[in-house]
Amino acid sequence: MRAPVRACGPTKLKSRLCNENKFIVVRTRFAPSPTGTLHLGNIRTALFAWAYARHHQGQFVLRIEDTDLERSSEASADGILRDMKWLGLDIDEGPFFQMQRMDRYREVVAQMLKDGRAYHCYTSVEELDALREKQKANNEKPRYDGRWRPENIAKFGLEVPEGVLPVIRFRNPDDGVVAWDDAVKGHIEIANSELDDLVIARPAPVGEVGVPTYNFCVVVDDIDMKISHVVRGDGHVMNTPRQINIFRALGVEPPVFGHTPTVLGSDGEKLSKRHGATGLNEYAASGYVPEAIVNGLARLGWSHGNEEIFTPQQLVEWFNLESLTPSPARFDAEKFEWLNGEHIKRMPVDELAKRLEPFLKEAGYDAAPSSGDQLDAAGGDGFAHPTATMIAELLRERAPTLKKMAALARYCFVAPEVDAALLAQHLNEGNRPAIAWVKDQLATTDWVKPALAAVLKDAQTRFTLKTPQVMMPLRVMLTGSAQAPAVDALLLTLGRERSLARIHV
RNA sequence: GCUUCGUUCGUCUAGCGGUCAGGACACUGGACUUUCUAUCCGGUAACGCGGGUUCGAUUCCCGCACGAAGUGCCA
């Protein structure tokens, strides 16, 4: 489901480019390529850009950079939209698609050509390769030598070759340095002598403009979309000076740049499918809640003192670019899971129940109703079964993900298989009478927690047993496991009928 | 090779010239006699190396090492 595309950018080149470079409002953007699912690294950049805009009551723009025809797909663009929505990164404008802005880019290239800020270059790819090889062999930096700059043509003795379509190159300044104060990394400067004349439009007959290239489109887009702060991954640091030069050539002051550090896999390698740093959708499917993902992602490279657990709202309130660390961070799956558990614990039960329900269904506990605190329709073992809310209440502190919580809830629906050896460890002649007594009491006692607790306590005193001697056999019979919630809570959740059916003395 | 950026416990980080270098995850010890994969309390564990500057460097400067990115008619 693709949102409607909005046209962006007027056709009056000059007036547009030269004037409105004062940004009153903060406008950030996220500009992914639709070439696959978003991984944690990408989405974190989006999160930071979004949080910055929201913090300043600014706007957040989504731009899809779909000019790589071979790898781009609509499905992937839809996936991006879906993931952002799930995380709560609401967008104010867009998505804009670069493919639909080609005319605009060409218009600007044509203008630059006319103004002498760009020129045709007939050097073939083969020649370029040869040139670079030679430069490398001589221990020089491989770069285009500017031979087709109008003033150099004669010097190089060049003639326009037959049947070769020229590319258009940007005339980069020869001297001086390009410098900017990166909002994350601080002052950075690069000598123009390190930069060469980059191709801004691919081959096309003279008089036409070929397909424009990335570094150029980005600048035109950021100008047209009035982006005030470019928050992006630090893989773009080396593009920045080139882009700044293009901004200036177009008569526009460049925006503020903030380059966020890379996220590495837990092994320290770059994030990729193999590292388990899988797509966001898979975290959703594993029972992670978006609040926890936002929290964890933000905490990877950003900090607000010693705050570890915070809500998306708090992130927005506290966020600033200066508190980003400039160094790369490793993804820590264990900490993410812990964080997820913390967010689950803090969530209102009803909300938790609502989110748990699909996971219960997926686990095969289909009949779970959505809410309420009374037993509802018959479950898989033939008894009225607990609601999602009751289960959430019972297990919220014991499961780090919704999926694990659903798995833990098994005994709420299905009679457990009780291992005889395990039971024998906890049930013996010493406590058997007590358990029998408890069962008797449970047949008639009020099914409320204080009453249930009282029965259990009475059993201890009446039979002079230690607490575990009463609790453990019940726990095992009720759940099939020695690790389970408090027995009174279990009884309450499971219900009288089901509980009695499971207690065998 | 060249350019740019980076380097605090295993991991994420706080620190912005004087701290017993703090917190969190993980790990580990204990407590909770309603178990535990829960909860509470405790513990182990870090400033990459070498020079400066300074009364004093984790903090500032310079080298080195290591890592990352770039060096495309990819984005």
Side-chain angles (χ1 to χ4, degrees):
Chain A
M1 180 175 59
R2 170 173 290 189
V5 178
R6 294 217 248 147
C8 181
T11 45
K12 291 269 167 52
L13 175 62
K14 269 274 167 78
S15 63
R16 179 55 153 178
L17 294 182
C18 297
N19 297 332
E20 308 164 350
N21 58 354
K22 284 187 208 124
F23 302 107
I24 338 141
V25 280
V26 168
R27 285 170 64 87
T28 62
R29 44 67 158 189
F30 178 47
S33 301
T35 54
T37 50
L38 242 30
H39 66 240
L40 261 13
N42 295 331
I43 199 76
R44 189 190 62 150
T45 307
L47 175 65
F48 289 151
W50 171 84
Y52 190 75
R54 290 284 166 270
H55 177 81
H56 292 280
Q57 284 92 41
Q59 282 133 28
F60 180 56
V61 178
L62 177 63
R63 178 167 82 224
I64 306 285
E65 309 207 324
D66 56 351
T67 53
D68 186 336
L69 271 5
E70 301 200 350
R71 297 193 303 143
S72 295
S73 76
E74 196 165 327
S76 146
D78 290 344
I80 290 169
L81 254 14
R82 180 200 62 215
D83 288 348
M84 289 178 68
K85 188 174 177 193
W86 182 74
L87 258 199
L89 308 188
D90 52 319
I91 60 178
D92 298 300
E93 285 178 29
F96 299 113
F97 293 85
Q98 286 192 321
M99 281 310 288
Q100 303 185 2
R101 291 176 39 76
M102 282 300 147
D103 290 348
R104 169 65 179 154
Y105 307 136
R106 290 197 163 101
E107 177 192 17
V108 180
V109 173
Q111 186 66 47
M112 291 178 76
L113 211 45
K114 208 166 138 192
D115 296 349
R117 291 170 301 193
Y119 60 92
H120 288 291
C121 168
Y122 292 87
T123 313
S124 69
V125 174
E126 293 70 33
E127 287 174 303
L128 244 21
D129 286 345
L131 176 65
R132 291 189 187 111
E133 281 311 309
K134 197 175 147 195
Q135 287 167 327
K136 272 188 184 170
N138 293 340
N139 234 335
E140 295 166 33
K141 32 202 148 200
R143 60 196 288 277
Y144 175 67
D145 56 8
R147 62 179 64 176
W148 281 97
R149 266 146 90 131
E151 70 273 23
N152 290 343
I153 293 177
K155 192 169 89 191
F156 281 89
L158 300 175
E159 278 178 40
V160 173
E162 230 17 72
V164 174
L165 296 179
V167 298
I168 298 172
R169 284 182 186 272
F170 171 64
R171 178 190 282 275
N172 195 77
D174 300 303
D175 308 312
V177 296
V178 193
W180 76 96
D181 290 309
D182 195 278
V184 177
K185 292 175 181 289
H187 187 80
I188 299 178
E189 56 181 53
I190 293 170
N192 270 319
S193 58
E194 292 298 327
L195 274 21
D196 57 6
D197 291 348
L198 75 156
V199 172
I200 58 174
R202 296 183 176 82
V206 177
E208 291 175 33
V209 175
V211 180
T213 58
Y214 166 77
N215 273 110
F216 181 76
C217 298
V218 168
V219 174
V220 175
D221 283 340
D222 286 338
I223 291 172
D224 285 349
M225 297 172 193
K226 296 182 178 168
I227 301 304
S228 66
H229 297 256
V230 173
V231 179
R232 62 193 351 175
D234 68 1
H236 290 282
V237 168
M238 299 310 276
N239 291 326
T240 305
R242 298 175 185 284
Q243 292 176 9
I244 288 176
N245 282 335
I246 296 175
F247 271 102
R248 299 237 164 92
L250 294 174
V252 176
E253 259 315 291
V256 174
F257 292 94
H259 290 95
T260 67
T262 319
V263 179
L264 304 172
S266 47
D267 54 0
E269 294 297 308
K270 234 179 118 176
L271 221 46
S272 70
K273 293 268 159 77
R274 342 179 110 208
H275 294 80
T278 39
L280 199 59
N281 52 131
E282 293 176 57
Y283 282 93
S286 308
Y288 281 78
V289 297
E291 297 91 324
I293 300 286
V294 164
N295 188 160
L297 246 22
R299 204 62 192 69
L300 226 44
W302 178 83
S303 61
H304 181 74
N306 282 335
E307 299 289 347
E308 293 289 348
I309 302 166
F310 45 82
T311 62
Q313 294 71 35
Q314 286 173 305
L315 172 64
V316 166
E317 187 184 325
W318 295 334
F319 190 75
N320 66 334
L321 260 13
E322 291 69 37
S323 299
L324 280 161
T325 53
S327 51
R330 291 191 193 201
F331 170 74
D332 183 347
E334 286 174 331
K335 193 162 182 178
F336 259 70
E337 192 174 83
W338 167 78
L339 254 181
N340 199 57
E342 293 303 312
H343 280 268
I344 283 177
K345 286 175 199 168
R346 286 164 169 71
M347 198 176 286
V349 231
D350 291 341
E351 178 62 25
L352 180 57
K354 211 169 84 191
R355 301 198 204 189
L356 174 64
E357 200 184 356
F359 289 90
L360 289 172
K361 285 211 170 90
E362 195 195 321
Y365 310 134
D366 234 359
S370 58
S371 63
D373 56 3
Q374 295 300 310
L375 296 183
D376 207 329
D381 55 359
F383 297 105
H385 68 184
T387 63
T389 306
M390 292 165 79
I391 292 167
E393 188 65 61
L394 182 72
L395 298 174
R396 61 186 318 169
E397 300 214 328
R398 318 183 66 85
T401 68
L402 297 174
K403 190 166 184 172
K404 290 187 177 181
M405 190 179 290
L408 240 34
R410 179 182 165 80
Y411 52 71
C412 294
F413 300 89
V414 182
E417 289 147 30
V418 180
D419 182 68
L422 178 66
L423 184 59
Q425 279 175 36
H426 299 283
L427 183 66
N428 50 52
E429 294 319 312
N431 58 7
R432 199 180 296 275
I435 303 304
W437 183 83
V438 167
K439 185 174 182 181
D440 267 2
Q441 298 299 305
L442 291 181
T444 56
T445 190
D446 279 352
W447 211 256
V448 292
K449 208 164 179 184
L452 296 169
V455 168
L456 296 167
K457 185 105 172 88
D458 284 354
Q460 288 171 58
T461 40
R462 191 175 290 256
F463 294 85
T464 55
L465 293 172
K466 293 188 174 178
T467 316
Q469 292 179 287
V470 174
M471 303 301 176
M472 290 313 292
L474 288 169
R475 212 188 310 269
V476 170
M477 289 187 283
L478 255 17
T479 70
S481 167
Q483 288 102 39
V487 174
D488 49 1
L490 269 173
L491 289 168
L492 184 71
T493 306
L494 294 176
R496 194 193 308 267
E497 301 301 312
R498 176 180 281 119
S499 297
L500 290 175
R502 289 182 190 177
I503 301 173
H504 304 287
V505 188

